[in-house]
Structures are given as structure tokens and as C-alpha cells.
Amino acid sequence: MDLQTDALARAGCAETFTDVVSGSKSSREGLDKLLKYIRRGDTVVVWKLDRLGRSLKNLIEMIQVLTDSGVGFKSLQENIETTTASGKLFLHIFGALAEFEKELIKERTLAGLKAAAERGRKGGRPKLMDQNKILQARALRQSEIPIGEICKTLGVSRGTLYRSLNAISP
């Protein structure tokens, strides 16, 4: 975090807002404070593009919110500034390239799944254990072996074990 805040200070930022949360969190206290603080004519400066948006879609939406509010955007690492025409162009090019990469990954994943299916492989874990494993699990449970050990022995997760034991009555 120090690297980023030092770079923002060198860039002349009057205020710094930070978040230290998981990338999957949609609510970010620092971002919320920033959005309440900014005024028309301000420029939001980030150390890197991914510091503002958690996904490409989220980043583009966030920059659109800033633009609609009359607020500029600048990323120090990518040297992008939406207050200039070339900065807006580069942002859209990066956005298009990121979207293209995402689609390529999706296509490769689907092709891999299709190839695996053609070889008879199904993805994911089994929803329930077979009858033989269920009988083994019941026997192990009666001997008071810890659940973790039973799961390890049978090669299943706790969820699969419990679902299987509950699905078929003794």
C-alpha cells in the first residue's frame, strides 16, 4: 500500500482514499468515501487501473460515472488520462483488448470441456457417493473416526459425504 500512496502523493493528490478488502467485495468503504468527496472538475487518480474497478465492466462503468459527473480520471501506471482525447482512446483500446482476452479464455475453456466430454469425461465432483462408499462411510462413522479422516479415506468432501448419507436412509 505504501508504494501506491507514495506514488499518489508524488502525483500531487490532495486526498487519498484506500480500501483493504477482497477483490470480490462489491462494497468498498474507501471508494464510497471518494465518490462522496469528488466534485465537478476534480480528477480521480489511481496508481493502476485495477485499483478502481474489480472487473473490466466495473472499471468502464465507474469511469462513465466519473465522466458523467464532470470528473476526470488518471491512472499513473498505464499513463492514461480521460481528460485528453488520446487518454480516452487508450482507455477504450485497453477495454477492448481486455474484453477480447476474456472471450478467448471463455472459448478455450468451452473447447476444452467439449473435448473432455467427447472422451467421456464429465466435469465437477460427483453429487453423491456410490452405494459401496456410503456403506463404508456408515461403518467408519460408527467407529467414531473423525469426519475429516473419513472424507480423506473415501476421497470425498464433507459436503458430498453429508449429502450422500442424508440422501439414502439406513
Side-chain angles (χ1 to χ4, degrees), residues 71-144:
V71 174
F73 172 76
K74 181 176 183 177
S75 173
L76 299 177
Q77 289 297 302
E78 291 85 4
N79 200 23
I80 295 173
E81 189 170 354
T82 62
T83 58
T84 67
S86 61
K88 288 177 186 174
L89 173 66
F90 281 120
L91 181 67
H92 288 289
I93 290 172
F94 279 146
L97 290 173
E99 191 67 31
F100 176 66
E101 180 182 20
K102 180 180 165 187
E103 289 299 317
L104 285 177
I105 291 169
K106 182 179 172 184
E107 286 177 9
R108 285 193 300 264
T109 301
L110 291 173
L113 290 171
K114 182 179 178 187
E118 288 171 355
R119 289 190 306 273
R121 295 193 58 212
K122 289 189 339 186
R125 292 184 179 178
K127 301 291 184 219
L128 296 175
M129 299 184 307
D130 62 36
Q131 190 62 37
N132 186 32
K133 279 192 177 184
I134 291 172
L135 293 173
Q136 288 176 350
R138 286 204 174 106
L140 293 170
R141 289 276 319 241
Q142 288 176 348
S143 64
E144 297 190 22

Side-chain angles (χ1 to χ4, degrees), residues 25-92:
K25 300 285 184 188
S26 59
S27 176
R28 296 163 45 199
E29 187 178 322
L31 180 60
D32 294 341
K33 286 180 182 177
L34 167 74
L35 294 173
K36 289 178 184 170
Y37 178 84
I38 56 175
R39 302 289 177 258
R40 181 172 288 283
D42 287 347
T43 299
V44 171
V45 181
V46 296
W47 181 70
K48 198 170 179 185
L49 279 174
D50 65 359
R51 302 297 85 198
L52 181 65
R54 294 301 191 209
S55 66
L56 174 63
K57 180 182 177 195
N58 180 246
L59 176 65
I60 299 296
E61 288 171 354
M62 187 59 60
I63 292 174
Q64 190 60 52
V65 166
L66 295 174
T67 302
D68 292 346
S69 302
V71 174
F73 172 76
K74 181 176 183 177
S75 173
L76 299 177
Q77 289 297 302
E78 291 85 4
N79 200 23
I80 295 173
E81 189 170 354
T82 62
T83 58
T84 67
S86 61
K88 288 177 186 174
L89 173 66
F90 281 120
L91 181 67
H92 288 289

